[in-house]
């Protein structure tokens, strides 16, 4: 069994991105610049956004954090996005999700200029990705594909089972892995909450991706011997002995499953760090006008 070290791989990629960031600065006199919008004070969102700002600093990007209180109106939020859309100093824009219930999340996503949509959530980017055109690809699926690439895990002809059909992980990943090319050329099965007998499908997986958000859902009896197992779960499970009072827990019961795998990602230190680096990569693409002019 080989443990896939997402932390180390992400560190390597951050170094590559730093080199490119310097090159951009020399060429145009400004650093790649990410604008992040955070609404409210949700603990998880606060942490994620703080990571994004810190990650930018580390690779030599500029970042602007725009904060709003929970009671911000949808119009006020849309107005700020309009402003960032036309600001030539801003390369990439993200709005941290989830948003309060009174704000239409989809409307907010679609208000971001797709050329600056470094989360890859805008329907233009999703649509372009589906038909194989250059597009911003959302950070987690991109990070997973990059791990498969860098660990030289062949995917062509393999059966890949993705458990979970979210817009930001399961669905885009299922599409990427079925595309022509390497990584890709998989036969993909997408399982979800309405799939009966889920183990019937997961047992066929040469590559099994767990992205459903249920801690330790994947047990040893659901995994084929020699499978590659990618764990996307990041649930905070209460644990009294932990310093924060919780422990980040994956969707795979690692202790049961690991010995059956050819490769497995741990939680933490697997997919998570790659998700963080995916956003930096997209911001770099935006600053270097690699996808849109
Ligand atoms: N909330 C959870 N994951 C994400 C993400 O990748 N981007 C944004 N904007 N919000 C999120």
């Amino acid at each position: 069994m080989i443990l896939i070290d997402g932390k180390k791989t992400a560190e390597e990629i951050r170094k590559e991105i730093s080199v490119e960031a310097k090159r951009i600065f020399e060429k145009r006199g400004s650093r790649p610049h990410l604008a992040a919008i955070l609404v409210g004070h949700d603990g998880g969102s606060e942490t994620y956004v703080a990571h994004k700002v810190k990650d930018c600093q580390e690779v030599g990007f500029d970042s602007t954090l725009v904060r709003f209180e929970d009671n911000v109106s949808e119009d006020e939020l849309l107005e700020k996005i309009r402003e960032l859309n036309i600001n030539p100093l801003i390369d990439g824009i993200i709005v941290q999700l989830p948003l309060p219930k009174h704000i239409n999340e989809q409307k907010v996503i679609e208000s971001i200029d797709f050329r600056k949509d470094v989360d890859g959530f805008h329907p233009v980017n999703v649509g372009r990705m589906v038909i194989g055109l250059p597009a911003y690809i959302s950070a987690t699926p991109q990070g997973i594909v990059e791990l498969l690439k860098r660990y030289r895990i062949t995917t062509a002809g393999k059966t890949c089972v993705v458990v979970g059909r979210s817009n930001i992980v399961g669905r885009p990943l299922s599409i990427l892995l079925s595309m022509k090319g390497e990584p890709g050329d998989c036969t993909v099965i997408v399982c979800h909450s309405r799939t009966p007998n889920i183990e019937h499908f997961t047992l066929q997986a040469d590559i099994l991706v767990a992205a459903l958000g249920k801690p330790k859902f994947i047990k040893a009896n659901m995994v084929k011997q020699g499978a590659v197992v990618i764990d996307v779960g990041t649930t905070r499970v209460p644990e009294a002995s932990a310093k924060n009072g919780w422990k980040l827990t994956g969707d795979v019961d690692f202790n049961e499953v690991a010995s059956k795998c050819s490769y497995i990602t741990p939680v933490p230190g697997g997919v998570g760090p790659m998700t963080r680096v995916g956003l930096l990569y997209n911001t770099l693409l935006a600053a270097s006008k690699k996808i849109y002019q």
Side-chain angles (χ1 to χ4, degrees):
M1 183 274 287
I2 295 172
L3 198 64
I4 298 181
D5 190 339
K7 198 172 163 203
K8 185 173 130 251
T9 309
E11 181 52 40
E12 286 165 15
I13 298 173
R14 269 197 300 276
K15 281 195 190 125
E16 296 164 14
I17 292 175
S18 301
V19 172
E20 288 303 314
K22 220 174 261 163
R23 218 168 265 162
I24 287 174
F25 182 67
E26 282 157 12
K27 192 170 160 205
R28 70 173 197 184
S30 65
R31 300 172 211 288
H33 193 153
L34 174 72
I37 300 180
L38 174 60
V39 179
H41 299 273
D42 172 75
S45 293
E46 291 264 9
T47 307
Y48 291 137
V49 170
H51 284 162
K52 289 168 186 182
V53 169
K54 178 168 165 270
D55 289 345
C56 281
Q57 235 162 14
E58 223 181 283
V59 298
F61 289 4
D62 286 332
S63 64
T64 296
L65 173 57
V66 182
R67 300 198 65 135
F68 289 105
E69 289 303 319
D70 271 314
N71 61 0
V72 66
S73 71
E74 189 177 280
D75 279 345
E76 213 176 327
L77 188 56
L78 293 173
E79 182 50 37
K80 175 50 78 177
I81 294 169
R82 271 193 288 275
E83 195 184 293
L84 296 168
N85 278 344
I86 59 171
N87 183 341
L89 300 173
I90 299 292
D91 297 300
I93 303 168
I94 61 154
V95 178
Q96 188 64 31
L97 306 178
L99 291 170
K101 284 200 173 56
H102 67 278
I103 296 175
N104 182 336
E105 220 162 74
Q106 195 56 31
K107 194 169 168 186
V108 168
I109 289 170
E110 291 185 36
S111 76
I112 297 173
D113 184 336
F114 64 86
R115 299 170 197 83
K116 296 190 178 187
D117 165 43
V118 287
D119 259 333
F121 293 169
H122 193 289
V124 169
N125 283 309
V126 178
R128 289 176 61 100
M129 181 271 287
V130 170
I131 57 174
L133 291 174
Y136 297 116
I137 293 168
S138 64
T140 304
Q142 184 188 150
I144 293 168
V145 167
E146 198 59 32
L147 279 178
L148 295 172
K149 217 191 264 179
R150 292 190 182 229
Y151 274 82
R152 297 177 196 285
I153 295 168
T154 49
T155 55
K158 301 280 174 67
T159 298
C160 176
V161 177
V162 179
V163 185
R165 56 179 162 184
S166 70
N167 286 346
I168 65 175
V169 184
R171 198 185 310 275
L173 183 66
S174 69
I175 290 160
L176 290 172
L177 290 174
S178 71
M179 306 280 283
K180 223 176 185 35
E182 189 69 48
D185 287 329
C186 286
T187 303
V188 178
I189 299 169
V190 181
C191 298
H192 46 74
S193 52
R194 302 298 300 268
T195 305
N197 262 329
I198 215 159
E199 65 278 9
H200 165 77
F201 299 100
T202 59
L203 277 168
Q204 296 178 52
D206 301 310
I207 301 170
L208 177 60
V209 181
L212 69 159
K214 286 195 179 163
K216 299 189 181 178
F217 180 84
I218 301 290
K219 303 289 183 189
N221 66 356
M222 302 166 78
V223 178
K224 182 163 89 170
Q225 188 69 41
V228 175
V229 173
I230 307 290
D231 189 351
V232 185
T234 53
T235 308
R236 292 177 171 187
V237 173
E239 185 164 292
S241 64
K243 69 173 189 297
N244 313 311
W246 50 265
K247 184 171 173 248
L248 208 60
T249 306
D251 291 347
V252 176
D253 193 331
F254 185 92
N255 290 338
E256 265 195 19
V257 169
S259 63
K260 286 187 100 172
C261 302
S262 55
Y263 294 85
I264 186 167
T265 62
V267 175
V271 172
M274 294 299 288
T275 296
R276 285 172 65 172
V277 100
L279 177 65
L280 296 175
Y281 182 72
N282 282 344
T283 305
L284 184 72
L285 290 178
S288 48
K289 305 264 187 280
K290 285 264 169 67
I291 292 179
Y292 303 109
Q293 292 314 304

